[in-house]
C-alpha cells in the first residue's frame, strides 16, 4: 500500500499492515571489494542507528504528542531510551506475561480486529543523524529489524511509512525525504494493532524497537535479492547450484555478474558468469563432487557474487554461504542427504532476563554452543522468525531449524484448555488472508538461503482453516526444497495437507505409538514435548526409545530452551528472577513462563543431564570385558573423538586409559578394554566409557564429552569374613530413665524419647547430629508438574499425615553387642496404616535405621517414603557415592552416573522459579555431611541403595514459598533419606501423571534401611 500521510485508523484495519514498505529480500551482506567480502566484517554501506534515542511515553493514543515528528518540534525535556530495547524494560508501562489468553482478556470486551482504546501504549522516538560522507548522491534506506507491534515513520516532518509484524524486517526508502546536514527521524510505536491478534504467543508482552535499526545505501548496480538453491544427484555425491538474483540501480543496464564458489579452505571450486537481463540473473551450474552440509558436519562453501558495470568496473561483492544438502520425503519418512533424520530438538524463545527478546550476539553464541554441547541437533524458532544472525550460527555450527512464521492466535480458539473456535482467527476468514500471508512471505524471502532451515512452519497454535492452508501452499510453491509443518491441523482435519508431517504437542508415548501402528500416511514429530517446567523431564526416555522402534517416528522438540523470567528487586533491594504476576500484571499466567532446560541467567539446569544423555547419537554399552559402540550418526565417524575408559571401585578410580577407535556412521563395533576383571578385589565396580573431543571445535573445547556409558557390577569377596577393628568396638551401655533411654557405645551416645517416640539426640564423638528428631515423611514439596496434576488435591492427605505422625508403641531389646528399639506410628490418613522405625545401636558405634511402611487399600499413591531429620547448619558440605553429579529421580536418572560427587548443601536447592522439590539423588551408597573442618557423620545404605536429599529447607518450607526470597533464613541442614520417591514426570505440566512404573502404590509394604556412623 502507498500513502503520503499517516492514518491512525490503520492500527485497527486488518487490510493495512504495511505502507510504503519495501518488498522483503534475502538477508545477505554486500561490499565494495573482494577483500572486504572475504573478511565479511562490518559493512561500509551500512550506518548503525542503535544507541540512545529521545523518548516520550503515553498510555493511550489520545495522550501522545501527536505532532512530535514535525521539524520544529523540540524534544527537550524528553527522556532517553536505548535502542534496541523494550519500552517496558526501561521503566515505562506495564510488564505483563500471559500464555494463551489475550492480554486484555477480562479488561476489554472486544473481538478481532478491534483494539483496546483505553490502554494502547504509544512510544514516540526521535533520533537525528547526518549522512555518512560519500552517501550524498546515493539512495538511502532504513531497515527496522524488529518493532513490536506497529509503527509509523517520519523523516524531516514527512511521512515515510508504516509497518506491522514484530519479527521480520521493515525497510523504507528515505531518499526523497533527506536534507543536507541534520536529519530528524521520528518513529511512533504502538503496543496494540491488528497484528496483536496474531501475536498471542506464550511470552511477555512487550513493545518498542527491540532489534537493530540501521541506514544503508547501495552501489550503482546492487543485488537486492539472492536466492541460492542446491540439489544433489541420486547418489548424494554430486551437487548442482541454482543462483537467482534480482538487481537494481542505474548501472544495472549492461552489467554482468561473476560468481566464484570457494571451498572451506578458500580454494576456487568453480567460477561462472552471466549478463544481467532486465535486472535479473538466473544460473544453474553442475559443481561435481561436493562436501555435504548436515548438523553433524556443517560444511559450508562460500559463493562470491561480483557485480561489474558496463565499463567492467567492480561495483559490488556479495559473499553468500552455501551448504549442499537435500531434505526430502522418501517412503513417508523425512531424509537429509538420503538418510532418515531424527530431530533431537528444542524450542527456543529469544530471551535475556534483562533485555527480554532484545538478545545479543553473545547470548546467541552461548546458546548455540550450549545446544550443541548437549547433543541437541535441531531448534524450532518458537514462535516467530529470529534475528538473522541466529540462522547464520545454525548454518555454521550445525543445527537443523524449523523456521516458524510470526503467527499465534491461541486465545481465539482455546479457552481454559477446551477447543472452542467460535471466533477463531484467521480460520477461513478471507479478510485475514493478506496480513497472514505477508508474514509468511517476509520470513521466506529473508531466510531462504540458510541451509540449516529444513522446514517452514505456518505458525503455532492458531487452529486450522483455509488461510493457513493457503500459507502452506505458498511455502511449497515458493520453495519446493523444504517441507512444511503445522500442528494445528490436529484440531481441524479439513485441510490435512497443510502439514507434510503429523505433528502434535504433548502427546503421550502410548498415543504416539497408537498413531504409528495405524498405518499412517505421514511421519510423526512432536513439535513440543517434555514440558520442562521446574523440576521436570521425567520419563523422557519413553520418547527417545521410539526412535529405533518406529522409522516414522522422527523425534521432537523439548519445550523449551530457556526460562522467560526477568530480574526484579524485592522490597529489600535484592535482585531475583521474577515471573508473571510479580510486576502487578493482571491478567497473568504467573510462573508458566519458566519451562527452560536453561535458567534465564544462562546457567544450565540439572535437567540438561538427562537431555544430553538421551539425545546422544553415539551409544556406549560397556561390560566387564569391553564396550559395544553404536554410532548412530548419519554421516560422522568417530575419528574426531577419543575413547576414554576408567574402572572405579566404590567410587575410587582403579585405572584409566584412552583408545583411538574409529567407528563409521551407522555402524557398530565391540572394543576390548584392559580392565583386568579376572583379578579384581571384592566390591562394587563401575566401568565408565566416554567419547571426548580430540581437539577444540567451534562449539566446545578439547576434551568435551559427547557420549557416555556406564556399567555397574559387583565382584564377590574371595573371603567373606569381614575384619573387625577391635579398637572401635565397645560395650553397649543402656541407661533407662522414666522418659528417655540413653545408649552408649564408645564415642556414640544416643538418646531415645519414650514421650516423643523417636531418636532425640545422637552425639558422635561429642558432636550433636540431631537438631530436630527424625520423623516419617510422606510428602514432598510439590513440583510444578505435581501442581498441574492436582497432587495437592489427590494426594494431599499425605501432607497432613506427615505433619504429626503419632507414636503409639515402643519396645526395646538389648543384646551384648547391640541395643534395638522399635517405634510404631499411626497416621491420620487411615487406622490401617502402620509405620515402624527401628534403631539399632551397635558396639562399633554405628546406628542402623530400619523403616517399614504397611499400607492398605483405598489410599492415594505415596509421593515419598522417607525419614527426615534436621541437623546443624554447620554441616554445610555433602559428598555422595550416588547417581549424579546433578539431581536425579526415578524417572530422570538415565543421564546420571554412579560416582563420588560433592556439593555445598545450599547448592543442592535448584533455583527453579517457584521453590519445589529438588536436589534428590538416587542410588545412594553413602553420603558424608561435614563442616568446613571436615568433621561430621556418614550415612550408608544397608542392602539396597537409598535416595537422599540434603537441603537447607524442609519440604514444608519449600511448599509454602512462592519465591526463593520467601524461604526462611537457614537454621538447619535437612536430611531426608528415602526408600523411594515418585518420579517427577514431564509429559506436560497441566494434568499428565507420572508414568505408572515410577509411582508408589500405598497398599503394600515398603522398607528401607541405612546406617549412621561417625566419620
Amino acid at each position: 500500500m502507498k500513502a503520503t500521510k499517516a492514518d491512525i485508523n490503520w492500527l485497527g484495519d486488518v487490510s493495512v499492515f504495511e505502507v510504503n514498505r519495501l518488498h522483503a529480500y534475502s538477508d545477505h551482506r554486500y561490499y565494495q571489494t573482494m577483500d572486504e567480502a572475504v573478511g565479511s566484517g562490518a559493512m561500509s554501506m551500512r550506518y548503525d542507528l542503535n544507541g540512545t534515542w529521545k523518548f516520550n511515553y503515553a498510555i493511550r493514543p489520545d495522550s501522545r504528542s501527536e505532532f512530535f515528528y514535525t521539524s520544529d518540534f523540540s524534544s527537550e525535556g524528553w527522556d532517553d531510551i536505548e535502542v534496541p530495547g523494550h519500552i517496558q524494560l526501561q521503566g515505562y508501562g506495564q510488564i505483563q506475561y500471559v500464555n494463551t489468553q489475550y492480554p486484555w482478556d477480562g479488561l476489554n470486551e472486544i473481538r478481532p480486529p478491534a483494539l483496546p482504546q483505553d490502554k494502547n501504549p504509544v512510544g514516540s522516538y526521535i533520533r537525528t543523524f547526518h549522512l555518512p560522507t560519500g552517501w550524498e548522491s546515493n539512495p538511502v534506506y532504513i531497515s527496522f529489524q524488529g518493532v513490536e507491534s506497529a509503527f509509523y515513520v517520519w523523516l524531516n516532518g514527512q511521512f515515510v511509512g508504516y509497518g506491522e509484524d514484530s519479527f521480520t524486517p521493515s525497510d523504507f526508502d528515505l531518499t526523497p525525504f533527506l536534507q543536507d546536514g541534520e536529519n530528524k527521524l521520528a518513529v511512533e510505536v504502538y503496543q496494540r494493532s491488528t497484528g496483536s491478534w496474531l501475536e498471542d504467543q506464550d511470552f511477555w508482552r512487550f513493545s518498542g524497537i527491540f532489534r537493530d535499526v540501521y541506514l544503508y545505501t547501495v552501489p550503482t548496480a546492487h543485488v537486492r535479492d539472492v536466492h541460492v538453491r542446491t540439489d544433489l544427484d541420486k547418489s548424494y555425491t554430486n551437487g548442482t547450484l541454482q543462483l537467482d538474483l534480482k538487481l537494481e540501480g542505474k548501472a544495472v543496464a549492461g552489467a554482468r555478474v561473476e560468481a566464484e564458489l570457494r571451498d572451506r579452505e578458500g580454494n576456487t571450486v568453480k567460477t561462472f558468469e552471466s549478463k544481467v537481463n532486465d535486472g535479473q540473473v538466473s544460473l544453474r551450474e553442475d559443481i561435481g563432487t561436493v562436501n555435504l552440509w548436515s548438523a553433524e558436519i556443517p560444511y559450508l562453501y562460500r559463493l562470491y557474487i561480483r557485480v561489474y558495470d558496463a565499463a567492467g568496473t567492480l561495483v559490488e561483492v556479495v559473499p553468500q554461504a552455501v551448504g549442499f544438502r537435500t531434505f526430502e520425503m522418501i517412503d513417508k519418512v523425512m531424509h537429509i542427504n538420503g538418510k532418515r533424520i531424527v530431530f533431537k530438538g528444542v524450542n527456543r524463545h529469544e530471551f535475556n532476563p534483562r533485555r527480554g527478546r532484545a538478545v545479543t550476539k553473545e547470548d546467541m553464541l552461548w546458546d548455540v554452543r550450549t545446544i550443541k554441547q548437549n547433543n541437541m541437533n535441531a531448534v524450532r524458532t518458537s514462535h516467530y522468525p529470529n534475528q538473522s544472525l541466529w540462522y547464520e550460527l545454525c548454518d555454521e555450527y550445525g543445527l537443523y531449524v524449523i523456521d516458524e512464521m510470526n503467527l499465534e492466535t491461541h486465545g481465539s480458539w482455546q479457552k481454559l484448555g477446551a477447543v472452542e473456535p467460535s471466533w477463531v482467527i484467521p480460520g477461513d476468514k478471507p479478510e485475514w488472508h493478506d496480513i497472514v500471508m505477508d508474514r509468511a512471505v517476509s520470513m521466506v524471502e529473508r531466510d531462504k538461503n540458510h541451509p540449516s532451515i529444513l522446514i517452514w512452519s505456518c505458525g503455532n497454535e492458531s487452529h486450522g482453516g483455509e488461510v493457513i492452508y493457503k500459507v502452506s501452499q505458498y511455502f511449497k510453491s515458493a520453495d519446493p526444497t523444504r517441507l512444511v509443518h503445522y500442528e494445528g491441523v490436529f484440531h481441524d482435519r479439513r485441510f490435512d495437507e497443510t502439514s507434510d508431517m503429523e505433528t502434535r504437542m504433548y502427546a503421550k508415548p502410548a498415543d504416539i505409538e497408537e498413531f504409528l501402528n495405524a498405518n499412517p500416511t505421514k511421519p510423526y514429530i512432536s513439535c513440543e514435548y517434555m514440558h520442562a517446567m521446574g523440576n521436570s523431564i521425567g520419563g523422557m526416555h519413553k520418547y527417545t526409545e521410539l526412535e529405533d522402534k518406529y522409522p516414522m517416528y522422527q523425534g521432537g522438540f523439548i519445550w523449551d530452551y530457556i526460562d522467560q523470567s526477568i530480574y526484579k528487586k524485592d522490597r529489600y533491594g535484592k535482585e531475583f528472577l521474577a515471573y508473571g504476576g510479580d510486576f502487578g500484571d493482571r491478567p497473568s499466567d504467573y510462573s508458566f513462563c519458566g519451562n527452560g532446560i536453561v535458567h534465564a541467567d544462562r546457567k544450565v539446569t540439572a535437567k540438561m543431564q538427562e537431555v544430553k544423555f538421551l539425545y546422544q547419537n553415539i551409544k556406549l554399552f560397556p561390560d566387564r570385558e569391553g564396550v559395544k559402540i553404536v554410532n548412530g550418526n548419519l554421516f560422522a565417524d568417530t575419528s574426531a573423538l577419543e575413547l576414554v575408559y576408567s574402572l572405579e571401585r566404590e567410587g575410587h578410580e582403579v585405572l584409566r586409559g584412552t583408545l583411538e577407535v574409529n567407528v563409521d556412521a551407522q555402524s557398530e563395533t565391540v572394543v576390548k578394554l584392559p580392565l583386568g576383571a579376572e583379578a579384581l578385589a571384592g566390591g562394587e565396580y563401575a566401568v565408565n566409557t566416554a567419547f571426548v573431543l580430540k581437539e577444540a571445535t567451534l562449539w566446545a573445547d578439547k576434551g568435551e564429552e559427547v557420549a557416555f556409558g556406564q556399567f555397574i557390577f559387583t565382584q564377590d569377596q574371595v573371603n567373606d569374613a569381614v575384619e573387625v577393628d577391635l579398637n572401635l568396638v565397645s560395650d553397649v551401655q543402656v541407661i533407662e530413665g522414666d522418659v528417655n533411654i540413653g545408649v552408649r557405645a564408645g564415642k556414640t551416645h544416643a538418646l531415645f524419647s519414650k514421650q516423643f517416640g523417636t531418636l532425640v539426640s545422637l552425639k558422635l564423638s561429642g558432636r550433636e547430629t540431631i537438631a530436630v528428631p527424625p520423623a516419617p515423611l510422606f510428602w514432598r514439596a510439590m513440583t510444578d508438574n505435581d501442581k498441574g496434576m492436582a497432587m495437592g488435591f489427590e494426594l494431599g492427605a499425605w501432607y497432613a499425615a506427615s505433619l504429626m505422625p503419632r507414636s503409639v508403641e515402643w519396645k526395646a531389646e538389648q543384646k551384648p553387642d547391640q541395643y534395638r528399639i522399635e517405634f510404631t506410628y499411626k497416621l491420620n490418613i487411615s487406622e490401617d496404616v502402620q509405620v515402624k522405625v527401628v534403631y539399632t545401636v551397635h558396639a562399633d558405634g554405628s546406628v542402623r535405621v530400619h523403616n517399614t511402611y504397611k499400607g492398605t487399600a483405598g489410599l492415594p499413591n505415596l509421593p515419598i517414603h522417607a525419614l527426615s531429620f534436621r541437623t546443624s547448619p554447620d554441616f554445610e558440605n555433602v559428598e555422595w557415592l550416588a547417581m549424579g553429579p546433578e539431581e536425579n529421580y526415578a524417572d530422570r536418572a538415565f543421564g546420571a552416573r554412579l560416582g563420588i560427587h560433592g556439593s555445598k548443601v545450599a547448592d543442592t536447592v535448584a533455583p527453579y522459579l517457584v521453590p519445589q522439590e529438588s536436589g534428590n539423588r538416587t542410588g545412594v551408597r553413602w553420603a558424608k555431611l561435614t563442616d568446613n573442618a571436615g568433621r561430621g557423620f556418614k550415612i550408608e545404605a544397608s542392602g539396597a541403595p537409598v535416595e537422599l536429599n540434603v537441603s537447607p529447607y524442609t519440604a514444608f518450607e519449600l511448599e509454602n514459598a512462592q519465591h526463593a526470597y520467601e524461604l526462611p533464613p537457614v537454621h538447619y541442614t535437612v536430611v531426608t533419606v528415602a526408600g523411594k520417591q515418585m518420579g517427577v514426570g514431564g509429559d506436560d505440566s497441566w494434568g499428565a501423571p507420572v508414568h505408572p512404573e515410577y509411582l508408589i502404590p500405598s497398599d503394600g509394604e515398603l522398607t528401607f534401611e541405612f546406617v549412621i556412623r561417625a566419620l
Side-chain angles (χ1 to χ4, degrees):
M1 177 176 167
K2 301 296 181 183
T4 58
K5 291 185 178 181
D7 186 345
I8 196 172
N9 293 314
W10 293 339
L11 292 170
D13 187 342
V14 73
S15 69
V16 181
F17 43 86
E18 62 84 13
V19 178
N20 302 336
R21 194 190 69 197
L22 300 183
H23 191 276
Y25 57 90
S26 56
D27 59 358
H28 62 279
R29 296 185 180 90
Y30 54 94
Y31 300 89
Q32 293 175 301
T33 69
M34 268 297 291
D35 287 343
E36 288 180 304
V38 171
S40 292
M43 289 171 50
S44 62
M45 289 180 279
R46 181 179 291 180
Y47 181 73
D48 188 2
L49 293 180
N50 291 346
T52 303
W53 293 45
K54 302 305 291 183
F55 181 76
N56 181 258
Y57 177 82
I59 194 171
R60 59 181 182 270
D62 62 7
S63 61
R64 77 194 191 283
S65 298
E66 185 173 356
F67 299 104
F68 79 106
Y69 57 84
T70 59
S71 297
D72 57 356
F73 181 91
S74 172
S75 59
E76 186 176 352
W78 278 26
D79 296 336
D80 291 337
I81 197 168
E82 290 301 307
V83 171
H86 298 294
I87 291 171
Q88 290 76 14
L89 293 182
Q90 299 188 66
Y92 306 94
Q94 175 65 63
I95 300 175
Q96 183 184 17
Y97 165 71
V98 285
N99 174 18
T100 65
Q101 61 185 313
Y102 282 101
W104 48 78
D105 187 75
L107 303 178
N108 300 94
E109 193 170 353
I110 55 175
R111 288 289 182 261
L115 305 175
Q117 297 302 310
D118 56 337
K119 287 187 179 179
N120 187 3
V122 185
S124 300
Y125 295 76
I126 293 176
R127 173 75 148 83
T128 58
F129 65 87
H130 290 76
L131 281 182
T133 303
W135 286 32
E136 293 81 7
S137 301
N138 294 356
V140 176
Y141 307 92
I142 190 168
S143 181
F144 294 88
Q145 291 291 297
V147 182
E148 190 172 5
S149 72
F151 67 108
Y152 298 79
V153 183
W154 294 265
L155 185 65
N156 298 322
Q158 299 182 74
F159 176 66
V160 174
Y162 170 80
E164 295 182 20
D165 188 353
S166 301
F167 297 97
T168 55
S170 291
D171 287 25
F172 304 97
D173 186 357
L174 297 184
T175 311
F177 314 110
L178 290 166
Q179 63 187 25
D180 294 338
E182 185 175 81
N183 290 269
K184 177 182 177 180
L185 177 66
V187 183
E188 191 173 67
V189 179
Y190 289 80
Q191 187 168 14
R192 312 292 187 213
S193 67
T194 48
S196 302
W197 287 102
L198 304 177
E199 296 176 6
D200 191 33
Q201 288 95 332
D202 175 9
F203 60 14
W204 293 89
R205 307 309 167 102
F206 297 130
S207 64
I209 306 171
F210 70 98
R211 288 184 182 168
D212 292 342
V213 184
Y214 54 83
L215 304 175
Y216 64 96
T217 188
V218 297
T220 53
H222 170 59
V223 177
R224 172 58 73 172
D225 185 70
V226 178
H227 192 180
V228 173
R229 284 168 286 180
T230 63
D231 198 7
L232 301 174
D233 64 7
K234 292 183 179 179
S235 68
Y236 302 100
T237 56
N238 297 300
T240 303
L241 181 67
Q242 174 74 39
L243 176 63
D244 295 292
L245 307 174
K246 294 178 182 178
L247 291 89
E248 61 183 31
K250 59 187 178 183
V252 166
R256 68 180 178 89
V257 169
E258 183 179 76
E260 178 189 1
L261 185 69
R262 295 184 182 181
D263 64 17
R264 188 157 58 185
E265 288 72 37
N267 303 309
T268 300
V269 175
K270 193 162 190 176
T271 302
F272 42 97
E273 63 178 72
S274 172
K275 292 182 178 180
V276 178
N277 296 309
D278 195 23
Q280 299 190 50
V281 169
S282 184
L283 289 169
R284 185 174 178 84
E285 289 290 325
D286 293 328
I287 306 302
T289 303
V290 292
N291 293 294
L292 305 186
W293 184 96
S294 67
E296 296 169 18
I297 308 174
Y299 192 101
L300 290 175
Y301 292 81
R302 184 72 65 175
L303 182 68
Y304 294 97
I305 303 165
R306 295 186 283 264
V307 181
Y308 297 88
D309 63 16
T313 302
L314 179 65
V315 295
E316 184 178 62
V317 184
V318 174
Q320 178 62 54
V322 176
F324 285 90
R325 61 113 183 99
T326 61
F327 186 65
E328 58 193 331
M329 194 80 75
I330 302 174
D331 297 330
K332 301 189 292 186
V333 174
M334 292 177 281
H335 287 69
I336 177 81
N337 300 334
K339 304 289 187 181
R340 169 185 171 253
I341 193 172
V342 174
F343 293 107
K344 301 182 177 190
V346 67
N347 286 272
R348 174 181 172 271
H349 270 291
E350 293 180 311
F351 202 78
N352 176 294
R354 300 193 189 277
R355 299 177 55 84
R357 288 186 286 278
V359 294
T360 65
K361 179 180 180 180
E362 291 70 27
D363 291 333
M364 288 185 267
L365 285 168
W366 193 93
D367 290 351
V368 74
R369 286 173 59 88
T370 300
I371 290 169
K372 288 286 291 186
Q373 287 169 11
N374 289 285
N375 290 324
M376 288 167 268
N377 68 4
V379 172
R380 176 176 174 232
T381 65
S382 53
H383 303 288
Y384 42 81
N386 288 186
Q387 291 186 41
S388 283
L389 176 58
W390 178 249
Y391 304 95
E392 294 179 26
L393 294 175
C394 292
D395 295 341
E396 185 179 8
Y397 284 70
L399 286 174
Y400 302 123
V401 176
I402 295 181
D403 199 10
E404 192 149 88
M405 67 181 280
N406 179 23
L407 176 67
E408 179 165 345
T409 64
H410 208 150
S412 76
W413 63 273
Q414 192 169 45
K415 293 91 173 179
L416 297 174
V419 176
E420 196 284 290
S422 61
W423 54 276
V424 63
I425 54 172
D428 300 333
K429 299 177 175 63
E431 65 271 24
W432 288 88
H433 173 274
D434 290 352
I435 189 173
V436 172
M437 186 64 74
D438 178 70
R439 294 167 177 241
V441 172
S442 294
M443 177 179 73
V444 168
E445 292 299 328
R446 189 196 68 168
D447 298 342
K448 58 183 176 282
N449 295 322
H450 292 284
S452 57
I453 299 172
L454 302 186
I455 297 172
W456 300 118
S457 175
C458 299
N460 184 64
E461 294 179 312
S462 298
H463 202 254
E466 187 174 12
V467 172
I468 295 175
Y469 169 73
K470 288 182 176 179
V471 166
S472 74
Q473 298 309 296
Y474 159 74
F475 285 148
K476 294 175 183 181
S477 63
D479 183 11
T481 69
R482 294 178 170 99
L483 298 179
V484 176
H485 163 275
Y486 185 61
E487 176 268 345
V489 296
F490 178 77
H491 300 287
D492 183 357
R493 294 293 188 182
R494 294 175 303 147
F495 297 95
D496 202 52
E497 293 180 5
T498 300
S499 185
D500 290 320
M501 65 285 301
E502 178 74 6
T503 169
R504 299 184 187 178
M505 293 182 178
Y506 309 107
K508 311 297 187 294
D511 296 331
I512 297 172
E513 291 203 73
E514 181 181 12
F515 169 82
L516 293 169
N517 285 322
N519 192 26
T521 59
K522 299 178 182 179
Y524 178 93
I525 65 171
S526 290
C527 63
E528 294 178 20
Y529 82 118
M530 279 287 101
H531 198 262
M533 186 177 183
N535 193 347
S536 188
I537 302 286
M540 179 177 168
H541 69 97
K542 288 183 166 288
Y543 294 88
T544 57
E545 287 165 1
L546 301 177
E547 296 168 6
D548 294 329
K549 188 174 181 181
Y550 297 97
M552 292 179 72
Y553 178 81
Q554 299 200 253
F557 295 77
I558 293 166
W559 186 267
D560 63 350
Y561 172 69
I562 190 167
D563 280 351
Q564 297 180 76
S565 52
I566 298 171
Y567 279 115
K568 185 178 187 288
K569 290 184 178 180
D570 65 20
R571 63 178 300 185
Y572 302 105
K574 185 177 179 181
E575 276 194 331
F576 71 99
L577 284 166
Y579 51 79
D582 285 343
F583 298 91
D585 46 316
R586 303 291 189 277
S588 178
D589 283 300
Y590 304 98
S591 62
F592 212 75
C593 57
N595 316 134
I597 52 176
V598 168
H599 296 296
D601 57 2
R602 283 186 163 75
K603 293 178 182 176
V604 172
T605 74
K607 294 170 282 190
M608 193 72 87
Q609 177 174 263
E610 193 82 347
V611 173
K612 181 170 184 174
F613 180 81
L614 292 176
Y615 269 176
Q616 62 188 23
N617 282 342
I618 302 171
K619 306 289 195 284
L620 299 172
F621 303 99
D623 58 24
R624 296 175 62 136
E625 305 297 327
V627 58
K628 178 181 177 182
I629 304 169
V630 180
N631 184 358
N633 284 327
L634 303 182
F635 309 104
D637 61 22
T638 62
S639 59
L641 307 174
E642 182 177 61
L643 181 66
V644 179
Y645 63 90
S646 67
L647 180 68
E648 293 180 355
R649 179 181 181 271
E650 314 290 355
H652 298 284
E653 190 169 283
V654 176
L655 62 85
R656 170 177 288 267
T658 61
L659 289 173
E660 297 282 330
V661 182
N662 190 10
V663 184
D664 289 336
Q666 298 284 285
S667 65
E668 62 184 62
T669 191
V670 174
V671 176
K672 295 292 184 181
L673 298 176
L675 300 176
E678 67 283 350
L680 296 177
E684 185 179 49
Y685 288 83
V687 181
N688 300 313
T689 55
F691 268 120
V692 302
L693 291 175
K694 289 181 180 176
E695 304 293 339
T697 67
L698 274 177
W699 49 271
D701 296 331
K702 178 181 178 180
E704 175 75 20
E705 183 181 288
V706 298
F708 178 82
Q710 185 179 66
F711 174 70
I712 300 168
F713 67 93
T714 300
Q715 179 75 25
D716 293 335
Q717 298 275 1
V718 176
N719 183 358
D720 288 337
V722 178
E723 292 187 9
V724 177
D725 187 346
L726 296 179
N727 293 315
L728 299 178
V729 176
S730 304
D731 292 336
V732 177
Q733 302 174 8
V734 179
I735 303 171
E736 182 168 349
D738 296 328
V739 179
N740 302 297
I741 303 171
V743 183
R744 290 183 184 272
K747 294 182 179 180
T748 297
H749 182 192
L751 189 67
F752 299 95
S753 170
K754 303 174 187 177
Q755 178 182 6
F756 297 112
T758 186
L759 173 69
V760 293
S761 174
L762 179 62
K763 290 183 178 179
L764 303 174
S765 300
R767 193 89 183 271
E768 180 63 72
T769 62
I770 302 294
V772 177
L777 180 70
F778 306 98
W779 187 256
R780 71 176 183 199
M782 285 191 291
T783 66
D784 290 308
N785 291 343
D786 292 339
K787 293 173 184 175
M789 68 176 187
M791 186 174 109
F793 181 84
E794 300 291 343
L795 279 64
W798 290 113
Y799 181 101
S802 300
L803 288 174
M804 195 59 67
R806 176 183 293 174
S807 175
V808 295
E809 182 184 10
W810 69 272
K811 58 185 178 181
E813 177 184 10
Q814 184 174 0
K815 295 181 179 180
D817 61 346
Q818 68 180 41
Y819 178 81
R820 180 183 185 276
I821 185 167
E822 175 185 291
F823 296 101
T824 301
Y825 300 91
K826 287 292 186 180
L827 307 180
N828 58 19
I829 194 171
S830 170
E831 278 291 325
D832 298 325
V833 172
Q834 187 179 84
V835 177
K836 292 180 182 291
V837 179
V838 179
Y839 299 91
T840 305
V841 182
H842 293 275
D844 63 358
S846 65
V847 179
R848 185 177 303 273
V849 185
H850 184 89
N851 187 304
T852 302
Y853 164 91
K854 292 183 178 180
T856 187
L859 298 180
N861 290 327
L862 286 160
I864 189 171
H865 173 221
L867 191 73
S868 186
F869 65 94
R870 284 175 256 182
T871 188
S872 168
D874 291 343
F875 298 123
E876 59 180 281
N877 307 292
V878 60
E879 185 180 60
W880 303 269
L881 174 56
M883 302 302 289
E886 305 297 335
E887 69 177 22
N888 50 90
Y889 293 82
D891 59 353
R892 202 184 82 210
F894 285 80
R897 60 194 66 180
L898 181 64
I900 296 176
H901 313 289
S903 171
K904 287 286 186 182
V905 171
D907 295 335
T908 64
V909 181
Y912 300 125
L913 291 186
V914 177
Q916 56 196 277
E917 160 62 37
S918 67
N920 189 68
R921 300 307 193 273
T922 64
V924 178
R925 276 64 170 170
W926 55 255
K928 298 176 182 177
L929 279 82
T930 59
D931 61 18
N932 289 330
R935 298 168 301 188
F937 60 96
K938 185 178 183 182
I939 293 174
E940 297 174 350
S942 179
V946 296
E947 299 190 30
L948 180 68
N949 191 320
V950 181
S951 170
Y953 309 109
T954 69
F956 306 104
E957 288 169 338
L958 291 165
E959 182 74 67
N960 289 295
Q962 295 303 304
H963 301 85
Y965 64 74
E966 298 174 35
L967 291 167
V970 174
H971 298 293
Y972 306 101
T973 289
V974 182
V975 181
T976 301
V977 185
K980 187 180 290 186
Q981 181 178 171
M982 67 183 283
V984 293
D987 289 357
D988 65 46
S989 300
W990 48 90
V994 170
H995 288 279
E997 60 267 42
Y998 301 117
L999 295 174
I1000 310 174
S1002 60
D1003 57 353
E1005 181 171 327
L1006 302 168
T1007 64
F1008 66 91
E1009 188 173 86
F1010 63 95
V1011 175
I1012 304 175
R1013 68 174 74 246
L1015 284 176

